[in-house]
C-alpha cells in the first residue's frame, strides 16, 4: 500500500504491507523555503509538492524493492490542510491508482497522526485516549477502534503548536519555531517568569492558548529583550503543564489506562518527561510515534490507507479535498465506496 502526504509543507511518501508494517518511507521538507517568508506560502507549497512527488515515489519503490504492479492500493491525505497542497497529492495518488487499476482512498491527516504510534514495535491496544497536538489541532480523543473516535475536548482558540510558533516568532526564532523555542528553553529557568495556565481551574477537557500567548507578549515587552531564555522556558512550562493536566484528567474521566500522544508537539521533550512521570504514577502508560513521525510524514498516511483499504473501504474516481474536515466526521471502515462529492463540503 502506498501513502502520500502533501497537506502542508512536507511531501511524504511511504509503503507498507496490507496489515500496516512499514516497508519504506521518504520525506521532503519545505521548511527552508518557507522560513524566508516567516510562514507557509500556500502557492509555493503546492508547486514544490508537484516537483517532489514523482522522485519520492521512485525512491520508496526502489528502497522497498517493490514494482508498481505489486501495489495493492493508494491512500493520500484529502484533508484537513491547504487546498492547493492537498490537491497535488490527491490528484497524483488518485490518478496513479486509476492507472494501475487498484483501489484508492481519501485519508484524514489527523487520523494519520492519531494512529501513528501503531507504526512502532509494541504498539498500544485499543481503547486508548489520544492527545493530538499539532500546528493546527489540540484535541483529546477517546479511541475505541479504527474509526470510532469520541471527541473529549479541544482548543477553543489557538492550537498548542500554533502558540509555540507565534511565541517563537515573537522571540525572533525562525519558522516553524516550536522546536527552536524548545531548544532555547533548555538554557532558561521555567519558573523565572510567571505565566497563566488557562482553563486549568475549570472542569472539562477544553484548552485555550491565546491568553497565554498574549501574556507572553506582554511580558516580552516589559522585559525589553532581556531574559529571552527564561521566557521561552516559562512559556514551554505553562503549555506543558496544561497539556499534562488535561491528558491526565481525560484518563480519569474515561477510566482508560493507555495514553497516546501524537502530532508535532509530541516531539517536545519536556512534555514527554512530565507525562511519563504523571501517567506512570496513575498506573497508566504512554505511547508516542518515533520522533521523525511526530511531525508530518507519509508513513502515517500509508498506515491508515493500509488498515482501511484492507477492510474494503474505497474512494470512487472523483478527486476532491476537504481543507476543513473534523475528526468527529470519521467513521469505522465501510465496504461501501465513498463518494467524497456526496458529502457536504467545500470543493
Ligand atoms: O503535526 P505537525 O507536523 O503539523 C500539523 O499537522 O500541524 O506539527 C507541527 C507543529 C508546529 O507548530 C511545530 O512548531 C510543532 O509542531 N513542534 C514542536 C516541536 N517540534 C515541532 N512544538 C514544541 N516542541 C517541539 N519540540
Ligand atoms: Zn500534521
Amino acid at each position: 500500500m502506498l501513502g502520500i502526504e502533501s497537506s502542508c509543507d512536507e511531501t511524504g511518501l511511504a509503503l507498507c504491507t496490507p496489515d500496516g508494517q512499514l516497508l519504506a518511507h521518504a520525506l521532503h521538507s519545505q521548511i527552508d523555503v518557507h522560513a524566508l517568508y516567516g510562514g507557509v506560502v500556500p502557492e509555493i507549497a503546492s508547486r514544490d509538492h508537484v516537483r517532489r512527488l514523482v522522485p519520492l515515489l521512485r525512491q520508496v519503490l526502489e528502497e522497498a524493492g517493490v514494482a508498481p504492479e505489486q501495489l495493492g492500493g493508494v491512500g493520500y491525505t484529502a484533508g484537513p490542510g491547504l487546498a492547493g497542497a492537498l490537491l497535488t497529492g490527491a490528484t497524483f495518488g488518485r490518478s496513479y491508482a486509476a492507472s494501475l487499476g487498484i483501489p484508492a482512498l481519501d485519508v484524514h491527516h489527523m487520523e494519520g497522526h492519531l494512529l501513528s504510534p501503531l507504526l512502532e514495535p509494541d504498539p498500544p491496544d485499543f481503547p486508548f485516549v489520544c492527545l493530538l497536538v499539532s500546528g493546527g489541532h489540540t484535541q483529546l480523543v477517546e479511541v475505541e477502534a479504527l474509526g470510532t473516535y469520541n471527541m473529549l475536548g479541544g482548543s477553543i482558540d489557538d492550537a498548542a503548536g500554533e502558540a509555540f510558533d507565534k511565541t517563537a516568532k515573537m522571540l525572533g526564532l525562525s519558522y516553524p519555531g516550536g522546536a527552536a523555542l524548545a531548544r532555547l528553553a533548555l538554557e532558561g529557568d521555567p519558573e523565572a517568569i510567571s505565566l497563566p495556565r488557562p482553563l486549568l481551574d475549570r472542569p472539562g477537557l477544553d484548552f485555550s492558548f491565546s491568553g497565554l500567548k498574549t501574556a507572553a507578549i506582554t511580558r516580552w515587552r516589559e522585559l525589553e529583550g532581556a531574559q529571552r531564555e527564561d521566557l521561552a522556558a516559562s512559556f514551554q512550562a505553562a503549555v506543558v503543564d496544561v497539556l499534562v493536566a488535561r491528558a491526565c484528567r481525560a484518563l480519569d474521566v474515561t477510566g482508560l489506562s493507555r495514553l497516546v500522544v501524537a502530532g508535532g508537539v509530541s516531539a517536545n521533550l519536556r512534555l514527554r518527561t512530565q507525562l511519563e512521570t504523571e501517567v506512570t504514577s496513575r498506573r497508566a502508560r504512554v505511547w508516542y510515534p518515533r520522533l521523525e513521525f511526530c511531525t508530518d510524514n507519509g508513513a502515517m498516511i500509508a498506515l491508515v490507507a493500509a488498515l482501511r483499504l484492507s477492510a474494503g473501504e474505497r474512494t470512487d474516481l472523483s478527486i476532491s479535498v476537504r481543507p476543513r474536515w473534523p475528526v468527529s466526521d470519521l467513521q469505522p471502515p465501510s465496504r461501501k465506496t465513498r463518494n467524497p462529492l456526496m458529502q457536504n463540503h467545500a470543493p
Side-chain angles (χ1 to χ4, degrees), residues 5 7-8 10 80 109-110 112-113 132-137 263-264 293-297 300:
E5 158 61 28
S7 67
C8 189
E10 254 113 22
H109 179 82
M110 297 313 291
H113 278 303
L132 265 180
V133 269
S134 72
H137 289 74
F293 293 162
C294 287
T295 43
D296 293 347
N297 64 85
M300 65 185 194

Side-chain angles (χ1 to χ4, degrees), residues 27-51:
L27 185 84
H28 172 77
S29 171
Q30 305 174 354
I31 282 176
D32 292 348
V33 186
H34 299 295
L36 299 171
Y37 303 91
V40 178
V41 183
E43 183 63 20
I44 295 178
S46 310
R47 284 168 190 257
D48 200 62
H49 287 308
V50 170
R51 272 196 292 272

Side-chain angles (χ1 to χ4, degrees), residues 6-273:
S6 73
S7 67
C8 189
D9 57 353
E10 254 113 22
T11 325
L13 276 85
L15 291 173
C16 64
T17 60
D19 62 351
Q21 302 297 314
L22 190 61
L23 297 172
H25 66 99
L27 185 84
H28 172 77
S29 171
Q30 305 174 354
I31 282 176
D32 292 348
V33 186
H34 299 295
L36 299 171
Y37 303 91
V40 178
V41 183
E43 183 63 20
I44 295 178
S46 310
R47 284 168 190 257
D48 200 62
H49 287 308
V50 170
R51 272 196 292 272
R52 306 290 171 182
L53 284 163
V54 173
L56 289 174
L57 171 64
R58 292 213 172 102
Q59 192 178 325
V60 289
L61 288 171
E62 196 171 315
E63 197 182 314
V66 168
E69 305 71 50
Q70 290 175 284
L71 289 174
V74 182
Y76 42 82
T77 304
L82 301 169
L86 290 167
L87 272 170
T88 64
T91 306
F92 177 74
R94 187 67 197 86
S95 311
Y96 190 50
S99 76
L100 293 169
I102 55 176
L105 190 75
D106 287 2
V107 174
H108 191 294
H109 179 82
M110 297 313 291
E111 186 172 42
H113 278 303
L114 194 107
L115 299 178
S116 57
L118 302 187
L119 288 162
E120 303 307 322
D122 187 24
D125 290 325
F126 296 120
F128 54 78
V129 169
C130 179
L131 172 66
L132 265 180
V133 269
S134 72
H137 289 74
T138 301
Q139 281 175 333
L140 277 163
V141 187
E142 182 180 8
V143 178
E144 282 178 37
L146 176 67
T148 308
Y149 308 132
N150 306 322
M151 308 310 296
L152 299 169
S155 179
I156 57 172
D157 41 55
D158 291 355
E162 191 181 354
F164 263 102
D165 293 341
K166 288 179 178 167
T167 307
K169 195 169 189 174
M170 170 189 91
L171 295 175
L173 300 167
S174 69
Y175 172 86
L181 189 148
R183 271 194 302 277
L184 185 64
L186 290 174
E187 297 162 33
D189 174 2
E191 285 166 22
I193 296 163
S194 112
L195 290 171
R197 269 61 174 160
L199 297 189
L200 271 201
D201 52 346
R202 306 224 195 121
L205 291 165
D206 284 336
F207 303 85
S208 164
F209 291 107
S210 87
L212 171 58
K213 180 195 66 198
T214 309
I217 293 172
T218 310
R219 295 310 309 270
W220 180 237
R221 289 205 185 109
E222 289 164 5
L223 292 164
E224 296 177 354
Q227 287 184 273
R228 191 163 163 261
E229 298 80 6
D230 288 341
L231 191 55
S234 303
F235 173 81
Q236 175 178 249
V239 176
V240 168
D241 282 355
V242 171
L243 292 175
V244 171
R246 281 298 194 244
C248 289
R249 187 180 285 173
L251 289 176
D252 294 344
V253 166
T254 55
L256 294 174
S257 59
R258 286 185 280 265
L259 176 71
V260 157
V261 189
V265 183
S266 68
N268 187 276
L269 287 182
R270 187 179 174 96
L271 176 65
R272 289 182 173 224
T273 316

